[in-house]
Each structure stands twice: as structure tokens, then as C-alpha cells.
Amino acid sequence: MEGNQTSVTEFILLGFPLNTRIQMLLFGLFSLFYVLTLLGNGVILGLISLDSRLHTPMYFFLSHLAIVDMAYACSTVPQMLVNLLSPAKPISFAGCITQTFLFLSFAHTECLLLLVMSYDRYVAICHPLRYSVIMSWRVCFTLAVIPWVFGVLLALTHLVLLLPLPFCGPHQVNHFFCEIIAVLKLACADTHINETMVLAGAVSVLVGPFSSIVVSYIHILCAILKIRSGEGRQKAFSTCSSHLCVFGLFYGTAIIMYVGPRYGDSKEGKKYLLLFHSLFNPMLNPLIYSLRNKEVKAALKRMLDKERS
């Protein structure tokens, strides 16, 4: 890092090329969304921790998703808000690299955590009699730790390949945070290996898990259609539909950005798509789970009634 800092010690995030009035409007709007993201995920986390009826594997994994979503938003949004207030304020080289590492770690972790959650639903619906045996708490803890470990290790791999690159200018990052492809464009060396690793990493945590989740939900759908009870079928659909909405939003935008055609371009369209991915997805997830899940709504009602009494 010291070798890089002798040539470039800081970066300027270009963010969104808008006039001052619109930037102030966006600052207020994004600040509100950021607070809602932290509040919504915090409420989900609090409900799961305090309500013993939610102490099940499904909600255990949902609590990890809430933690990842809060960390995911915290890795990019504060710097974006600072940039909206002071567009010319630079970010240090170390700060930029740290932000890249944190964003990649939490993104990889969420990808794999959604895969674990789909496996939990698969076992619950396709093998209900063996669910408590297969999804023991020991297995749940192991399945929860694996996404975190793998996400950090994969982000470290990108970091190890990024740090030796020379950065001798320009120092303007065409993004609202230090996104890895945008940073690589500023390197004064061949970045083919880095870009290949980004694509390989995206395939490993996006395409593979995406295919596995699709296959698991095909089995889940077949199992649901075999349920004779209308109430049981509706309950199974309601618990799975929440996960499917979150899964579709997260994987859909991520695959377009990093696996789709010309994944390395940092054009304005993909910049706004990544804004949706890093700000709106974490905000929408608790809304999706609370609005479409009767158990979460019941837990929230019990907590409010307890506060009133």
C-alpha cells in the first residue's frame, strides 16, 4: 500500500453529475432511506431476538440477513451522503480500498446467505418430518458462518490482487463509492487478471447459487402443489414468496451488473442500478418480510401490545 500511496494518496468520487439543488434533495431523500434501512432491519433483528416464537432456523437466518443488510448499506451510503454535500471532498487511498473490501465482503455474504435460506425452505417443505433432525442448531450455526467466512475470503482475494497495482493518476473514480471495477480503471497497469477474477468471483457467488435456488424452488413448488390442505398450501406459499421477492431483487440486479454483457463498464445506467442494489434492496427486505409474513406481523403486534400495557 505504501508503494501506491507515493503516487496517489486520495481519490475523488464523481458520484452523480447533478446541480447543487438536486444534490441537496437527494441528500435528504437518501438520508431518509438510510435511516429506514437501519430502522427496518433493526426492528426485524429485535423481534427475532425478543420473541421466543421466532427462535427457529428460518428466522435465525433472517436475523443474519438483517445484519448483512445494515452492514451492506453502511459500507456505501455514508460516503455517498458526504459526497453529495461536498462533491470535491476526497477519500483517502486506504479509505477507498477499505470501502471496496467491505462492500465485496457483505455482497458475497448476502449472496450465499440467500442460498442457505433457500435450502432451509427446501428442507422445511420437501422433508417436513426430517426438518428438525436435518436443520439442528449445530447445522444452522455452521450454515450461517460459511457465507461470512467465504465472503470475507473472496473479498480478500480481490484485495490482494488490487493492492500491488500502481495508481499514478487520474484519481477521479466514476462512481458514488469505490466500486472495484471503477477503481481498476484508474490503475496504470494491465488489469486483465483482476477483471477476470471479478467475473469468476461473480459467477461463483451469483450464477452457481442462482441456479441452485431456482432448482430448489422448482422442487418446493412441486411439493406445495401436492399439499391437500388449502391453509397449509397458503402458509407454505407465504413463507416462500417473501424469500423469492428478496432473492429476485438481489440476484437480478447483481447479475446484470457483474455477469451480464460488458460487465466491466461503469456507465451511468449501471451506476444507478448499483444505487438501487446497495440502498433500496436493504431497505425493502424488512418491508417484504414484515408485510408478507404473518408470524413477523404477529410478533410485531405482540411487542406493540406489550409496550402499550
Side-chain angles (χ1 to χ4, degrees):
M1 188 180 291
E2 288 179 1
N4 287 334
Q5 286 182 321
T6 55
S7 38
V8 172
T9 59
E10 57 188 27
F11 293 106
I12 298 291
L13 298 173
L14 295 181
F16 306 102
L18 304 168
N19 62 55
T20 305
R21 183 175 297 178
I22 295 178
Q23 284 187 329
M24 290 299 101
L25 178 64
L26 289 179
F27 174 81
L29 195 62
F30 291 164
S31 297
L32 176 62
F33 291 158
Y34 182 53
V35 171
L36 290 176
T37 297
L38 299 180
L39 183 63
N41 285 286
V43 168
I44 292 288
L45 194 60
L47 286 175
I48 294 172
S49 301
L50 298 174
D51 197 315
S52 59
R53 300 183 191 184
L54 299 183
H55 292 175
T56 63
M58 174 182 169
Y59 295 105
F60 173 70
F61 295 130
L62 180 57
S63 66
H64 278 265
L65 181 66
I67 294 171
V68 174
D69 279 337
M70 288 191 288
Y72 195 50
C74 290
S75 67
T76 58
V77 179
Q79 182 61 49
M80 179 181 66
L81 295 177
V82 170
N83 198 47
L84 285 171
L85 284 178
S86 306
K89 186 175 182 179
I91 179 173
S92 67
F93 179 86
C96 186
I97 298 301
T98 302
Q99 188 180 51
T100 302
F101 169 74
L102 292 176
F103 174 80
L104 290 173
S105 297
F106 299 135
H108 297 152
T109 301
E110 182 153 353
C111 286
L112 299 174
L113 191 57
L114 289 173
L115 174 61
V116 169
M117 293 174 73
S118 73
Y119 174 71
D120 171 69
R121 291 299 85 207
Y122 166 77
V123 176
I125 294 174
C126 297
H127 304 283
L129 299 179
R130 299 173 55 200
Y131 180 72
S132 59
V133 177
I134 297 174
M135 298 300 293
S136 65
W137 281 113
R138 183 177 180 180
V139 172
C140 290
F141 280 115
T142 303
L143 290 176
V145 168
I146 288 175
W148 288 96
V149 173
F150 190 84
V152 171
L153 289 177
L154 190 54
L156 276 174
T157 303
H158 292 302
L159 193 67
V160 168
L161 293 173
L162 179 63
L163 286 176
L165 294 175
F167 291 90
C168 49
H171 65 292
Q172 294 180 326
V173 180
N174 185 22
H175 224 292
F176 61 88
F177 77 104
C178 291
E179 194 267 340
I180 186 166
I181 297 297
V183 174
L184 287 175
K185 286 182 175 293
L186 303 182
C188 305
D190 183 19
T191 59
H192 177 71
I193 295 178
N194 300 77
E195 293 178 3
T196 303
M197 279 301 300
V198 171
L199 180 59
V203 170
S204 66
V205 298
L206 289 174
V207 178
F210 177 85
S211 304
S212 300
I213 293 174
V214 169
V215 171
S216 68
Y217 268 96
I218 291 174
H219 288 284
I220 289 172
L221 180 60
C222 293
I224 290 175
L225 294 176
K226 292 178 182 178
I227 298 175
R228 295 182 180 181
S229 167
E231 184 180 350
R233 190 181 303 167
Q234 184 180 2
K235 183 178 180 181
F237 267 122
S238 66
T239 56
C240 292
S241 60
S242 301
H243 181 260
L244 273 176
C245 290
V246 173
F247 156 72
L249 285 172
F250 187 88
Y251 275 88
T253 52
I255 288 175
I256 291 172
M257 287 185 297
Y258 291 106
V259 184
R262 304 183 68 181
Y263 75 98
D265 290 345
S266 290
K267 293 184 178 179
E268 294 300 313
K270 289 191 175 181
K271 189 190 297 185
Y272 288 105
L273 190 62
L274 190 52
L275 172 65
F276 177 87
H277 185 75
S278 58
L279 178 61
F280 293 98
N281 270 3
M283 182 185 70
L284 292 174
N285 286 354
L287 291 176
I288 292 171
Y289 276 104
S290 60
L291 292 176
R292 298 192 60 85
N293 193 300
K294 291 182 180 179
E295 292 178 329
V296 173
K297 287 191 286 187
L300 181 60
K301 186 176 183 299
R302 285 193 296 269
M303 188 181 73
L304 294 176
D305 291 342
K306 186 177 179 180
E307 288 296 323
R308 291 194 189 113
S309 63

